[in-house]
């Protein structure tokens, strides 16, 4: 295939990737966006296979077969609750790939057309060192994010005295190693960059608490994109450069949006230190008893309401209650109740987690509203039904300057006439702090598994006993 044809097909693939990002910006067009993305990636991969530099189709096909089988098995078995840690794990693989490609190009530069061993072009050395550093940080940081999300380690911020100065020192040392490597081109300096970046990746994510994990996921997504972009420069592959830059920039924009939603500093996220800000002793709720009710009580309140807002959270994902919620919503609509869904930007453990669950249950997109669009409506709502959305409904974010989540915009469900809260117990949410909403006079707790409680409400609404 000629270079001009390759460039043209790569351009078409790039346009498809841009259309994919545009489609993914809205739930209504997300399916079409995914289709554009798949078409773009297929075109880019096939075009690359016709590159005259390909030496062994057997090895490539073997790699595709192994990766394809593993990916298909994981996609088939993965639960919706495990999507965040799956994304983190995949990010780590992108970072590792960047490290391996950089290592291959360092040891065999002539195969990449960037010079000879010990005489690699300076520009290529800069691209290589940046790619390997970002890739290593992405790899180790994603492993920590995976371990926290999978609960293989504590989701609480892990901090120690002098942590931030140490991170700053390691960052400066990494810059120094990159500069030295670009000058000396020694093996020791190359692997020094790798090891130091690995360590920095661990230390950047360790102090970030569980409540801030959605921001971490989007941030690591950005890192993986820039790592892929670095691979593209090393391989001199324009398609990979464009695709990596798109992922990196879109991930950075998403991180900024998430930070804004949590009232956090974007630069603090990048430096990996905002997770420890304000992480003081857990704020305990008022010494009061929470009122509890039954599914029958909840059904009575819901069917006699004129307006209901459903607030899904991680508890919905754990119980896989989205289909039961959709069934309950349909029954209420038939009774003339106005039912809507309120989604907080960081509900769940990754951006868009709740939107994916509701879409899986075929909840109409017109019924789903973001925080800014629906928050003022709680004051005129008869019943708000909260399903495990603990931290994003906690009034402490507005009232208590000592709270770890102070300043984060939350859903004002407490302003509703009645609040129904489905939760297994009064235990704190992922942020590790109590929710005083549990003890409000207008709150009724429905203790139990979200799916089972919702199914009981559905049975009562349907006239069952």
């Amino acid at each position: 295939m000629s270079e001009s044809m390759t460039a043209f097909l790569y351009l078409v693939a790039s346009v498809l990737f841009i259309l994919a990002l545009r489609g993914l910006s809205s739930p209504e067009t997300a399916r079409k966006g995914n289709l554009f993305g798949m078409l773009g990636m297929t075109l880019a991969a096939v075009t690359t296979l016709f590159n005259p530099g390909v030496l062994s189709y057997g090895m490539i096909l073997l790699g595709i077969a192994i990766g394809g089988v593993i990916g298909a098995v994981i996609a088939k078995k993965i639960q919706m609750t495990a999507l965040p840690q799956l994304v983190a794990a995949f990010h780590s693989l992108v970072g590792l790939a960047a490290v391996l490609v950089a290592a291959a190009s360092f040891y065999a530069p002539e195969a990449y057309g960037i010079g000879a061993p010990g005489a690699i072009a300076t520009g290529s050395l800069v691209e290589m060192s940046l790619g390997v550093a970002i890739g290593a940080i992405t790899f180790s940081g994603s492993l920590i994010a995976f371990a926290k999300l999978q609960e293989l380690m504590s989701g609480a911020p892990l901090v120690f005295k002098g942590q931030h100065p140490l991170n700053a020192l390691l960052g400066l040392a990494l810059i120094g190693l990159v500069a030295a490597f670009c000058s000396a081109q020694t093996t020791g300096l190359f692997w020094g960059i790798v090891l130091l970046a690995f360590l920095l990746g661990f230390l950047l994510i360790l102090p970030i608490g569980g409540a801030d994990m959605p921001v971490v996921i989007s941030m690591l997504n950005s890192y993986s994109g820039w790592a892929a972009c670095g691979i593209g420069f090393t391989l001199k592959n324009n398609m990979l450069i464009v695709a990596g830059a798109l992922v990196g920039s879109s991930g950075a924009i998403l991180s900024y949006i998430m930070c804004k939603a949590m009232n956090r500093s974007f630069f603090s996220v990048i430096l990996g230190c905002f997770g420890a800000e304000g992480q003081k002793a857990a704020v305990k709720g008022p010494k009061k008893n929470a009122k509890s009710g039954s599914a029958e009580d909840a059904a009575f309140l819901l069917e006699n309401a004129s307006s209901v807002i459903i607030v899904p959270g991680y508890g919905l994902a754990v119980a896989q209650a989205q289909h039961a919620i959709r069934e309950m919503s349909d029954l209420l609509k038939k009774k003339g109740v106005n039912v809507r869904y309120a989604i907080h930007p960081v509900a769940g453990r990754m951006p868009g987690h709740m939107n994916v669950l509701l879409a899986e249950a075929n909840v109409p997109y017109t019924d789903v509203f973001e925080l800014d669009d629906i928050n003022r409506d709680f004051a005129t709502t008869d019943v708000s039904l909260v399903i495990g959305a603990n931290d994003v409904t906690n009034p402490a974010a507005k009232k208590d300057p000592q709270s770890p989540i102070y300043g984060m915009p939350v859903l004002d469900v407490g302003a509703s006439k009645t609040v129904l809260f489905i939760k297994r117990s009064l235990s704190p949410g992922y942020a590790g702090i109590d929710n005083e909403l549990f003890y409000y006079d207008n709150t009724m707790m429905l203790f139990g598994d979200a799916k089972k409680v919702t199914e009981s409400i559905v049975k009562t609404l349907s006239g069952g006993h």
Side-chain angles (χ1 to χ4, degrees), residues 1-313:
M1 184 180 295
S2 65
E3 289 187 11
S4 59
M5 179 57 69
T6 298
F8 172 73
L9 292 176
Y10 278 163
L11 177 61
V12 174
S14 299
V15 172
L16 288 171
F17 287 146
I18 294 172
L19 292 174
L21 288 175
R22 180 179 176 83
L24 292 171
S25 65
S26 169
E28 297 183 28
T29 57
R31 191 181 298 274
K32 185 182 295 184
N34 274 320
L35 179 60
F36 282 133
M38 289 187 289
L39 289 174
M41 183 55 67
T42 301
L43 179 60
V46 171
T47 301
T48 303
L49 287 176
F50 282 96
N51 190 305
V54 175
L55 301 177
S56 175
Y57 284 100
M59 291 297 293
I60 292 175
L61 293 176
L62 178 62
I64 292 175
I66 294 174
V69 169
I70 294 174
V73 171
I74 292 175
K76 188 72 175 178
K77 293 187 175 182
I78 194 70
Q79 297 294 320
M80 294 300 292
T81 50
L83 277 180
Q85 46 265 54
L86 176 66
V87 171
F90 282 171
H91 286 163
S92 72
L93 295 179
V94 176
L96 183 60
V99 173
L100 295 177
V101 170
S105 62
F106 175 66
Y107 282 99
E110 64 279 359
Y112 295 85
I114 58 176
I120 301 174
T122 303
S124 297
L125 288 172
V126 173
E127 296 161 2
M128 184 191 305
S129 55
L130 289 177
V132 74
I134 297 174
I137 290 173
T138 302
F139 174 70
S140 56
S142 296
L143 288 181
I144 294 297
F146 171 82
K148 288 195 173 192
L149 290 166
Q150 191 65 21
E151 298 182 355
L152 298 177
M153 63 184 295
S154 173
L158 300 177
V159 298
F160 55 84
K161 187 176 181 180
Q163 188 171 39
H164 301 323
L166 174 61
N167 286 347
L169 182 62
L170 290 176
L172 292 173
L174 185 60
I175 294 173
L177 280 177
V178 168
F181 172 70
C182 291
S183 174
Q185 304 186 30
T186 65
T187 302
L189 288 172
F190 176 84
W191 290 109
I193 293 173
V194 174
L195 294 176
L196 194 58
F198 276 149
L199 177 60
L200 190 58
F202 283 122
L203 293 176
L204 285 175
I205 307 302
L206 280 176
I208 299 180
D212 301 323
M213 200 52 64
V215 184
V216 175
I217 294 295
S218 61
M219 180 181 68
L220 290 172
N221 176 64
S222 178
Y223 287 176
S224 68
W226 296 123
C229 186
I231 296 175
F233 279 108
T234 301
L235 298 177
K236 295 184 178 179
N237 187 303
N238 293 332
M239 179 70 263
L240 202 52
I241 294 172
V242 172
L246 286 172
V247 173
S249 57
S250 61
I253 292 171
L254 179 59
S255 296
Y256 174 78
I257 294 173
M258 301 290 283
C259 289
K260 185 178 179 181
M262 299 181 70
N263 196 32
R264 305 293 194 185
S265 165
F266 180 68
F267 290 104
S268 292
V269 177
I270 296 174
L271 297 175
C273 60
F274 81 102
E277 291 178 2
Q279 295 285 1
K280 302 178 181 179
V283 180
K284 297 183 179 180
K287 298 297 183 179
K288 295 171 61 177
N289 293 322
K291 293 186 299 183
S292 63
S294 64
E296 290 75 17
D297 297 327
F300 176 81
L301 290 168
L302 288 167
E303 67 181 347
N304 284 284
S306 61
S307 60
V308 171
I309 296 179
I310 300 172
V311 182

